[in-house]
Amino acid sequence: MNELKNILEKAAKQSNLEEKLLFLNNYINDKIVFSTSFGFEDQVISHAILSQKLDKIETFTLDTGRVFQETYNTWNKTELKYLSRIKPFYPPTEELEKFVEKNGINPFYDSIELRKQCCYIRKVIPLNRALKEASVWITGLRAEQSNNRHDMHEIEFDEERQLFKFNPLIDFTTKDCFDYLKKNRVPYNPLHDKGFISIGCAPCTRAINEGEDFRAGRWWWEDQSKKECGLHSK
C-alpha cells in the first residue's frame, strides 16, 4: 500500500497530465481503471490515455440506460477517433426491473430516497463491478465542480472500496479543460454548448443559468446543499 502511494505521489509531481498518466501506466503493476461519463473533464483524460495508448489503464463507462443521445454520440466519436473500445457496465437487469415495476419509470422525482435507490441500481452497483480488484481509480473530479469538492486532493484513499483515487484534474478550471479539448481536437458532448455543465441521466439533468453552481443542473428539485449519487463521497 505504501509503495503504491509513493508511486502515485511521484506521478502527481510530473509536469503535465500526459506524463502523470504515462508514469502510472509504466510503474504500477496493479489494476488501474478510469471511469468516463463523456463529460468534458473525462474527455480530457480520455485523450491523454487513448492518444498515448496506455493499455494498462482500463477505460470504462456506466451506461445507466437513461443518458442523453448526445452522450452516446460522444461515446461513439471517441471510439472512432482513438480506434479504441470503451468498456460498458450496465445495471443488474433483475433489480432494475423490480425497481421500475414497483415504483414506476420516473420515481426519482417523488423522493430523495427513491432517487438514491435509482442511482444505486443504475450507477453504484455497476461501478462496484467495474472497480473490482482495482488498486487505482482515475477520475475527472475537480475542486471547482462544487463546494463539496473544494477540499479534495489529487490523491485520495477510498476507505469503502479500499483503493486509491487519482484526480489529475483537481486544480483544472473549466477554461483549462476546454482549452485542452480545443488544442487537441477532442470530441465533446454538444450539450455543454447549451448550458449543460455536469451531464448525467437525461431525466435528472438540466442546463444551468449564469452564476449557478456547477452541479445545480443535477437533481435540481432537491436540496442544493449536497447532491451526490453515491459514486463519490464528495
Side-chain angles (χ1 to χ4, degrees), residues 66 95-111 114-115 117-119 121-122 203-204:
R66 301 299 299 269
E95 290 187 48
L96 183 57
E97 287 176 350
K98 288 180 179 178
F99 177 77
V100 174
E101 182 181 8
K102 178 181 178 181
N103 301 292
I105 192 61
N106 290 334
F108 29 79
Y109 297 129
D110 297 333
S111 72
L114 285 172
R115 195 273 291 171
Q117 286 181 35
C118 188
C119 286
I121 294 170
R122 294 182 184 272
C204 301

Short mmCIF file of all heavy atoms in Angstrom, two decimals, residues 66 95-111 114-115 117-119 121-122 203-204:
data_model
loop_
_atom_site.label_atom_id
_atom_site.label_comp_id
_atom_site.label_asym_id
_atom_site.label_seq_id
_atom_site.Cartn_x
_atom_site.Cartn_y
_atom_site.Cartn_z
N ARG A 66 -30.40 5.64 -19.23
CA ARG A 66 -31.20 6.87 -19.25
C ARG A 66 -30.38 8.08 -19.69
O ARG A 66 -30.78 9.22 -19.44
CB ARG A 66 -31.81 7.14 -17.86
CG ARG A 66 -32.71 6.06 -17.30
CD ARG A 66 -33.94 5.80 -18.16
NE ARG A 66 -34.81 6.96 -18.33
CZ ARG A 66 -35.85 7.27 -17.54
NH1 ARG A 66 -36.14 6.50 -16.50
NH2 ARG A 66 -36.62 8.31 -17.78
N GLU A 95 -32.79 -6.50 -10.71
CA GLU A 95 -33.05 -5.48 -9.70
C GLU A 95 -33.71 -4.25 -10.32
O GLU A 95 -34.61 -3.64 -9.72
CB GLU A 95 -31.75 -5.09 -9.00
CG GLU A 95 -31.21 -6.19 -8.10
CD GLU A 95 -30.02 -5.74 -7.29
OE1 GLU A 95 -30.08 -4.65 -6.69
OE2 GLU A 95 -29.01 -6.46 -7.26
N LEU A 96 -33.26 -3.87 -11.50
CA LEU A 96 -33.82 -2.70 -12.17
C LEU A 96 -35.28 -2.95 -12.55
O LEU A 96 -36.14 -2.08 -12.37
CB LEU A 96 -33.00 -2.36 -13.41
CG LEU A 96 -33.43 -1.09 -14.17
CD1 LEU A 96 -33.40 0.12 -13.26
CD2 LEU A 96 -32.52 -0.89 -15.38
N GLU A 97 -35.57 -4.14 -13.06
CA GLU A 97 -36.95 -4.46 -13.43
C GLU A 97 -37.88 -4.40 -12.21
O GLU A 97 -38.99 -3.86 -12.29
CB GLU A 97 -37.00 -5.86 -14.06
CG GLU A 97 -36.41 -5.91 -15.46
CD GLU A 97 -36.40 -7.32 -16.03
OE1 GLU A 97 -36.65 -8.28 -15.27
OE2 GLU A 97 -36.11 -7.47 -17.23
N LYS A 98 -37.43 -4.94 -11.10
CA LYS A 98 -38.25 -4.93 -9.88
C LYS A 98 -38.46 -3.50 -9.39
O LYS A 98 -39.56 -3.14 -8.94
CB LYS A 98 -37.58 -5.77 -8.79
CG LYS A 98 -37.63 -7.27 -9.04
CD LYS A 98 -36.94 -8.03 -7.92
CE LYS A 98 -37.02 -9.53 -8.15
NZ LYS A 98 -36.32 -10.29 -7.08
N PHE A 99 -37.41 -2.68 -9.47
CA PHE A 99 -37.50 -1.29 -9.00
C PHE A 99 -38.52 -0.52 -9.83
O PHE A 99 -39.37 0.19 -9.28
CB PHE A 99 -36.12 -0.64 -9.09
CG PHE A 99 -36.11 0.81 -8.70
CD1 PHE A 99 -36.15 1.19 -7.37
CD2 PHE A 99 -36.06 1.81 -9.67
CE1 PHE A 99 -36.15 2.53 -7.00
CE2 PHE A 99 -36.05 3.15 -9.32
CZ PHE A 99 -36.10 3.51 -7.98
N VAL A 100 -38.46 -0.65 -11.16
CA VAL A 100 -39.38 0.08 -12.03
C VAL A 100 -40.80 -0.46 -11.90
O VAL A 100 -41.77 0.31 -11.87
CB VAL A 100 -38.90 0.01 -13.50
CG1 VAL A 100 -39.94 0.64 -14.43
CG2 VAL A 100 -37.56 0.72 -13.66
N GLU A 101 -40.93 -1.77 -11.79
CA GLU A 101 -42.26 -2.37 -11.63
C GLU A 101 -42.94 -1.86 -10.36
O GLU A 101 -44.14 -1.58 -10.34
CB GLU A 101 -42.15 -3.89 -11.59
CG GLU A 101 -43.50 -4.60 -11.47
CD GLU A 101 -43.35 -6.10 -11.42
OE1 GLU A 101 -42.21 -6.60 -11.33
OE2 GLU A 101 -44.39 -6.79 -11.48
N LYS A 102 -42.17 -1.71 -9.30
CA LYS A 102 -42.73 -1.29 -8.02
C LYS A 102 -42.97 0.21 -7.95
O LYS A 102 -43.99 0.67 -7.40
CB LYS A 102 -41.78 -1.71 -6.89
CG LYS A 102 -42.25 -1.27 -5.50
CD LYS A 102 -41.26 -1.70 -4.43
CE LYS A 102 -41.70 -1.24 -3.04
NZ LYS A 102 -40.74 -1.64 -2.00
N ASN A 103 -42.05 1.00 -8.51
CA ASN A 103 -42.06 2.44 -8.27
C ASN A 103 -42.41 3.30 -9.49
O ASN A 103 -42.60 4.50 -9.36
CB ASN A 103 -40.69 2.88 -7.74
CG ASN A 103 -40.32 2.18 -6.46
OD1 ASN A 103 -40.93 2.39 -5.43
ND2 ASN A 103 -39.31 1.31 -6.53
N GLY A 104 -42.47 2.68 -10.69
CA GLY A 104 -42.74 3.46 -11.88
C GLY A 104 -41.44 3.83 -12.60
O GLY A 104 -40.34 3.60 -12.09
N ILE A 105 -41.58 4.43 -13.78
CA ILE A 105 -40.41 4.70 -14.60
C ILE A 105 -39.64 5.95 -14.15
O ILE A 105 -38.44 6.05 -14.36
CB ILE A 105 -40.83 4.84 -16.09
CG1 ILE A 105 -39.59 4.83 -17.00
CG2 ILE A 105 -41.68 6.08 -16.32
CD1 ILE A 105 -38.77 3.56 -16.91
N ASN A 106 -40.30 6.91 -13.50
CA ASN A 106 -39.63 8.14 -13.06
C ASN A 106 -39.85 8.42 -11.57
O ASN A 106 -40.28 9.51 -11.19
CB ASN A 106 -40.12 9.35 -13.87
CG ASN A 106 -39.65 9.33 -15.30
OD1 ASN A 106 -38.62 8.76 -15.63
ND2 ASN A 106 -40.40 9.99 -16.17
N PRO A 107 -39.56 7.48 -10.70
CA PRO A 107 -39.87 7.67 -9.27
C PRO A 107 -38.93 8.65 -8.57
O PRO A 107 -39.22 9.10 -7.47
CB PRO A 107 -39.71 6.26 -8.70
CG PRO A 107 -38.64 5.65 -9.56
CD PRO A 107 -38.91 6.18 -10.94
N PHE A 108 -37.82 8.98 -9.22
CA PHE A 108 -36.81 9.84 -8.60
C PHE A 108 -37.33 11.24 -8.31
O PHE A 108 -36.77 11.96 -7.48
CB PHE A 108 -35.55 9.91 -9.47
CG PHE A 108 -35.79 9.75 -10.93
CD1 PHE A 108 -36.28 10.79 -11.68
CD2 PHE A 108 -35.58 8.53 -11.54
CE1 PHE A 108 -36.52 10.65 -13.03
CE2 PHE A 108 -35.82 8.36 -12.89
CZ PHE A 108 -36.30 9.43 -13.65
N TYR A 109 -38.40 11.65 -8.98
CA TYR A 109 -38.99 12.96 -8.70
C TYR A 109 -39.82 12.96 -7.42
O TYR A 109 -40.15 14.02 -6.89
CB TYR A 109 -39.89 13.41 -9.86
CG TYR A 109 -39.18 13.61 -11.18
CD1 TYR A 109 -39.67 13.01 -12.34
CD2 TYR A 109 -38.05 14.41 -11.28
CE1 TYR A 109 -39.04 13.20 -13.56
CE2 TYR A 109 -37.41 14.61 -12.50
CZ TYR A 109 -37.90 14.00 -13.64
OH TYR A 109 -37.28 14.18 -14.85
N ASP A 110 -40.17 11.78 -6.95
CA ASP A 110 -41.09 11.67 -5.81
C ASP A 110 -40.40 11.81 -4.46
O ASP A 110 -41.00 12.31 -3.51
CB ASP A 110 -41.83 10.33 -5.86
CG ASP A 110 -42.71 10.21 -7.10
OD1 ASP A 110 -43.16 11.24 -7.62
OD2 ASP A 110 -42.93 9.06 -7.55
N SER A 111 -39.17 11.33 -4.35
CA SER A 111 -38.46 11.44 -3.07
C SER A 111 -36.96 11.27 -3.28
O SER A 111 -36.54 10.63 -4.25
CB SER A 111 -38.95 10.38 -2.07
OG SER A 111 -38.50 9.09 -2.44
N LEU A 114 -36.01 7.51 -3.19
CA LEU A 114 -36.20 6.77 -4.44
C LEU A 114 -35.16 7.17 -5.48
O LEU A 114 -34.69 6.34 -6.25
CB LEU A 114 -37.61 7.00 -4.98
CG LEU A 114 -38.73 6.26 -4.25
CD1 LEU A 114 -40.09 6.71 -4.75
CD2 LEU A 114 -38.57 4.76 -4.40
N ARG A 115 -34.81 8.45 -5.49
CA ARG A 115 -33.76 8.89 -6.42
C ARG A 115 -32.44 8.19 -6.11
O ARG A 115 -31.73 7.72 -7.00
CB ARG A 115 -33.60 10.41 -6.35
CG ARG A 115 -32.81 10.99 -7.53
CD ARG A 115 -31.33 11.00 -7.31
NE ARG A 115 -30.94 11.94 -6.28
CZ ARG A 115 -29.72 12.01 -5.77
NH1 ARG A 115 -28.78 11.16 -6.15
NH2 ARG A 115 -29.43 12.88 -4.82
N GLN A 117 -32.08 5.34 -4.59
CA GLN A 117 -32.21 3.92 -4.93
C GLN A 117 -31.96 3.71 -6.42
O GLN A 117 -31.29 2.76 -6.83
CB GLN A 117 -33.60 3.41 -4.57
CG GLN A 117 -33.84 3.20 -3.08
CD GLN A 117 -35.24 2.66 -2.80
OE1 GLN A 117 -35.77 1.88 -3.59
NE2 GLN A 117 -35.83 3.09 -1.71
N CYS A 118 -32.51 4.61 -7.22
CA CYS A 118 -32.33 4.53 -8.67
C CYS A 118 -30.85 4.69 -9.02
O CYS A 118 -30.31 3.91 -9.81
CB CYS A 118 -33.16 5.61 -9.36
SG CYS A 118 -33.20 5.47 -11.16
N CYS A 119 -30.20 5.69 -8.43
CA CYS A 119 -28.76 5.89 -8.67
C CYS A 119 -27.96 4.67 -8.23
O CYS A 119 -26.99 4.28 -8.90
CB CYS A 119 -28.27 7.12 -7.91
SG CYS A 119 -28.76 8.71 -8.61
N ILE A 121 -28.87 1.50 -8.11
CA ILE A 121 -29.02 0.37 -9.04
C ILE A 121 -28.35 0.66 -10.37
O ILE A 121 -27.63 -0.19 -10.93
CB ILE A 121 -30.51 0.05 -9.25
CG1 ILE A 121 -31.14 -0.47 -7.95
CG2 ILE A 121 -30.69 -0.97 -10.37
CD1 ILE A 121 -32.66 -0.58 -8.00
N ARG A 122 -28.56 1.86 -10.88
CA ARG A 122 -28.07 2.18 -12.23
C ARG A 122 -26.59 2.56 -12.25
O ARG A 122 -25.95 2.43 -13.30
CB ARG A 122 -28.90 3.33 -12.82
CG ARG A 122 -30.35 2.96 -13.10
CD ARG A 122 -31.09 4.13 -13.75
NE ARG A 122 -32.50 3.85 -13.93
CZ ARG A 122 -33.02 3.26 -15.00
NH1 ARG A 122 -32.22 2.87 -15.99
NH2 ARG A 122 -34.32 3.05 -15.10
N PRO A 203 -33.34 12.47 -17.49
CA PRO A 203 -34.43 13.00 -16.67
C PRO A 203 -33.95 13.80 -15.46
O PRO A 203 -34.74 14.52 -14.85
CB PRO A 203 -35.17 11.73 -16.20
CG PRO A 203 -34.69 10.63 -17.07
CD PRO A 203 -33.30 11.00 -17.45
N CYS A 204 -32.67 13.66 -15.12
CA CYS A 204 -32.16 14.26 -13.89
C CYS A 204 -31.16 15.38 -14.14
O CYS A 204 -30.46 15.80 -13.22
CB CYS A 204 -31.50 13.18 -13.02
SG CYS A 204 -32.61 11.84 -12.57
#
